Amino acid sequence: MEKELIINSTPTEVEIALLEDRKLVELHYQKTNTKFTVGDIFLGRIKKLMPGLNAAFVDIGHKKDAFLHYTDLGPKLRSLLKFTQDTIDDNSGTHLLDNFEMQPEIIKTGKIDQVMNKKQPILVQVLKEPISTKGPRLSCEVTIPGRFLVLTPFSNVVAVSKKIGNAEERKRLKVLVESIRPKNFGLIVRTAAEGKKVADLHEELNFMMSKWEQVYKQLVKAQPPMKLLSELDKASSILRDILSDSFNRIIVNDKELYHNIKNFLGSIAPDQVNIVKHHRSSKPIFDTYGITRQIKSSFGKTATMASGAYLVIESTEAMHVIDVNSGHKITSGEQSEAVLNVNLESAEEIARQMRLRDIGGIIIIDFIDMRVPEHKKILVKKMRDFMRKDRAQHTILPLSKFGLMQITRQRVRPEVKINTAEVCPSCNGSGKVNPSILLVDEINRDLDFILQSRPNSKIQLHTHPYIEAFLKKGFPSQQMNWARKYFKWIKVNPNADFALTKYQFYDGNMDEIRL
């Protein structure tokens, strides 16, 4: 399978598209001013204890208090609280836990007000980003993830990923990790560690311990709420979690981000540094690689497949409902086979849509009714196969009596929603526009005015691809006529996001010329 990561960086956000065999399967956005990302570690303060919910509300600096449930405290809570308070009071002396006196574990069935006090400072990690009206969800089981290992302070457990199937390799990794593990720190061995040498694991462990030391140093005499450790930027965290030998290209349009990713890859996978490319073309990177077109066709209420069958996707606060429609696909002949084929094609597209939109919570799918029991089993098995590539935790139940499939999928951040319907910029919804035959006349008038007011400027015209093609067609083309008239070559660039009658002029610094 061919995997590509296309990264579009703008001054306000970074957009990341993951393609598998040229098909868009994941889309991530990160605002440059995002304050609460999954994995961030904060020093918070208990604002309110809620014995009825068996939970606490914690102030970490968000406009809504973050939610911390008893089940997310972790058995080592007392040790975490003691370390936090000792470090704030500057009594611990070191970030290492060699001489730290571990406290008794809390019981699973306890009550929140038995183990915590109001206004108490507490070390927490963001488990879920703020979604809709809810604040962030927190955990006290602090972890520091790396590419091969995950560091878990206040634990002595070594666990190996279940995806490493070879028993000998599991045993080898467990012995290796046990030999380098610091006292009172646990380690989880990730799938990417398979076949790695002790030097690689030890180097990463030292890096993660330096992050823990960073948390410790900021904790000394700290006042909550305060961010202690930020998760990596979105591009680097995605690379850390999904990078594998099957990646073919990583393409970035921003020079600084390009060098950052090369440096990051150099530290985690030096042999793959050469797959990073810098996109230098003036054409938008998402247009160059066909991502804009895929976004337009994949989002919205309906998603149409190659066969003509389509999905209708509806979302509510409580759940998501997906209806499968055959379109004109089912013809006379072996109808049960045709129904199965439509359902299988839909199952593959649904698995892609869930990753792409980051749909979480409860998902109900209404497939086309199937009479043959064997076909129902095939559909469930294939759905599980299609979902195997999904990194989010999920559970798939067999088809119910009514032919419905129920799926639960982990939700850690808001669903990606993109409105693909475009309001006409020319008529603002009135339904009437200026005659399109006069559009080129308007462009000519504006160009005349610009070149009179700034005759030495380099000028670029950005317009819809159809208009761009029209301006360049024939001999002499309109673009050639401009060159003769103004003794200057006016560059014409297509932009698929523009409406048919929209156009913009830019100067040599790529600043829009407003008329």
Side-chain angles (χ1 to χ4, degrees):
M1 181 189 293
E2 212 176 86
K3 277 190 182 179
E4 296 171 295
L5 208 62
I6 314 295
I7 303 171
N8 178 34
S9 177
T10 68
T12 56
E13 66 179 6
V14 177
E15 298 173 288
I16 301 159
L18 174 62
L19 277 66
E20 290 179 358
D21 293 331
R22 299 291 173 93
K23 210 168 188 182
L24 182 65
V25 292
E26 285 184 28
L27 194 61
H28 299 267
Y29 289 88
Q30 184 182 33
K31 298 274 184 192
T32 50
N33 60 352
T34 301
K35 293 181 182 176
F36 304 94
T37 306
V38 172
D40 286 354
I41 297 174
F42 285 83
L43 176 65
R45 190 184 292 283
I46 305 293
K47 201 82 177 283
K48 198 186 293 181
L49 294 173
M50 304 289 288
L53 295 172
N54 206 15
F57 285 99
V58 183
D59 177 18
I60 61 167
H62 191 259
K63 59 186 176 183
K64 284 192 175 290
D65 289 336
F67 184 77
L68 176 62
H69 194 268
Y70 187 90
T71 52
D72 294 319
L73 296 178
K76 308 291 185 182
L77 176 72
R78 289 193 180 100
S79 298
L80 178 87
L81 291 174
K82 183 178 187 301
F83 177 82
T84 304
Q85 194 59 61
D86 285 353
T87 307
I88 291 172
D89 297 340
D90 203 8
N91 292 332
S92 57
T94 176
H95 67 289
L96 299 172
L97 304 176
D98 295 7
N99 301 316
F100 179 76
E101 189 181 331
M102 296 293 283
Q103 302 299 300
E105 294 187 0
I106 62 170
I107 58 171
K108 286 184 180 178
T109 53
K111 296 292 181 188
I112 194 90
D113 51 358
Q114 294 171 348
V115 294
M116 302 183 94
N117 304 314
K118 196 177 173 187
K119 296 190 177 177
Q120 185 174 18
I122 185 167
L123 198 64
V124 288
Q125 190 164 28
V126 176
L127 205 59
K128 291 185 180 180
E129 289 178 17
I131 297 173
S132 185
T133 56
K134 301 168 187 171
R137 182 157 182 172
L138 306 176
S139 170
C140 286
E141 294 190 272
V142 174
T143 59
I144 298 176
R147 173 134 167 80
F148 308 126
L149 303 168
V150 178
L151 185 71
T152 57
F154 312 107
S155 167
N156 284 295
V157 175
V158 172
V160 181
S161 168
K162 290 177 183 174
K163 290 183 181 176
I164 299 176
N166 187 309
E168 283 295 315
E169 179 63 7
R170 291 174 66 85
K171 188 177 177 183
R172 181 188 78 88
L173 286 169
K174 194 158 188 173
V175 170
L176 275 185
V177 169
E178 194 65 69
S179 68
I180 60 173
R181 179 182 68 82
K183 188 179 176 184
N184 292 328
F185 284 91
L187 287 168
I188 300 166
V189 182
R190 303 182 75 169
T191 315
E194 190 169 5
K196 297 297 174 188
K197 296 174 183 174
V198 68
D200 298 325
L201 303 181
H202 198 261
E203 185 183 350
E204 185 168 88
L205 177 60
N206 288 337
F207 177 67
M208 291 188 293
M209 286 299 289
S210 69
K211 283 191 168 186
W212 175 249
E213 186 177 8
Q214 183 185 332
V215 170
Y216 163 78
K217 284 178 178 175
Q218 291 196 77
L219 256 182
V220 176
K221 297 183 179 175
Q223 288 295 318
M226 178 182 178
K227 185 188 277 194
L228 303 174
L229 186 70
S230 283
E231 176 59 297
L232 293 165
D233 63 77
K234 187 75 83 175
S236 298
S237 63
I238 288 171
L239 278 175
R240 181 192 66 204
D241 293 341
I242 67 174
L243 185 70
S244 64
D245 295 337
S246 60
F247 260 87
N248 300 81
R249 288 193 299 178
I250 299 166
I251 304 160
V252 195
N253 68 338
D254 180 76
K255 197 168 185 179
E256 187 182 344
L257 190 57
Y258 162 74
H259 288 300
N260 289 348
I261 289 172
K262 280 199 89 161
N263 292 338
F264 179 72
L265 268 185
S267 65
I268 65 165
D271 53 321
Q272 288 183 280
V273 169
N274 293 332
I275 66 173
V276 187
K277 308 291 181 195
H278 183 209
H279 178 78
R280 291 186 173 87
S281 168
S282 59
K283 189 177 178 183
I285 187 169
F286 273 18
D287 288 357
T288 304
Y289 296 96
I291 294 163
T292 304
R293 179 180 290 275
Q294 289 198 54
I295 290 172
K296 298 276 186 189
S297 64
S298 298
F299 286 87
K301 187 177 173 181
T302 60
T304 306
M305 291 163 279
S307 67
Y310 63 95
L311 308 173
V312 179
I313 303 169
E314 298 271 12
S315 297
T316 68
E317 186 74 16
M319 66 173 68
H320 305 269
V321 183
I322 302 174
D323 184 37
V324 177
N325 293 279
S326 62
H328 304 294
K329 173 80 175 176
I330 296 179
T331 55
S332 55
E334 188 52 64
Q335 193 172 10
S336 63
E337 285 292 331
V339 168
L340 175 64
N341 289 336
V342 170
N343 280 341
L344 290 177
E345 184 188 20
S346 301
E348 185 173 8
E349 180 62 18
I350 289 166
R352 183 179 86 99
Q353 286 286 339
M354 283 193 282
R355 285 176 72 188
L356 185 55
R357 300 179 187 223
D358 213 355
I359 295 174
I362 299 169
I363 301 117
I364 308 291
I365 306 167
D366 182 12
F367 284 105
I368 301 170
D369 288 342
M370 293 182 292
R371 307 279 181 198
V372 184
E374 190 58 37
H375 287 179
K376 293 181 180 180
K377 289 179 184 174
I378 291 169
L379 178 60
V380 175
K381 182 181 179 297
K382 280 289 186 183
M383 190 73 200
R384 288 183 175 138
D385 289 344
F386 295 141
M387 292 282 287
R388 202 157 278 142
K389 290 177 275 188
D390 196 338
R391 289 178 292 133
Q393 292 178 12
H394 56 269
T395 305
I396 302 168
L397 297 182
L399 291 169
S400 72
K401 182 181 175 182
F402 303 113
L404 303 175
M405 181 181 284
Q406 299 168 69
I407 298 176
T408 61
R409 187 175 180 274
Q410 179 188 25
R411 178 164 70 172
V412 295
R413 56 182 65 87
E415 178 192 350
V416 177
K417 287 184 179 177
I418 298 175
N419 185 9
T420 55
E422 296 175 357
V423 174
C424 173
S426 304
C427 72
N428 291 321
S430 69
K432 291 182 171 26
V433 296
N434 293 331
S436 53
I437 198 168
L438 301 178
L439 180 66
V440 176
D441 292 349
E442 285 181 40
I443 293 173
N444 279 323
R445 276 197 299 273
D446 288 347
L447 188 57
D448 248 348
F449 175 76
I450 290 166
L451 287 171
Q452 281 174 21
S453 57
R454 43 170 86 189
N456 299 320
S457 290
K458 285 185 177 178
I459 307 294
Q460 283 190 33
L461 170 64
H462 288 226
T463 184
H464 189 279
Y466 288 176
I467 304 301
E468 180 243 2
F470 177 78
L471 295 173
K472 290 180 175 179
K473 77 162 191 172
F475 183 85
S477 66
Q478 182 63 57
Q479 195 178 22
M480 291 175 184
N481 288 335
W482 288 338
R484 284 181 188 169
K485 181 178 179 181
Y486 302 115
F487 300 103
K488 185 183 289 262
W489 186 253
I490 310 297
K491 198 171 180 182
V492 183
N493 289 325
N495 191 325
D497 282 338
F498 278 19
L500 188 64
T501 55
K502 182 179 177 183
Y503 61 90
Q504 286 175 349
F505 287 101
Y506 291 86
D507 62 18
N509 298 320
M510 285 307 291
D511 292 325
E512 186 187 344
I513 301 170
R514 299 187 181 275
L515 300 168

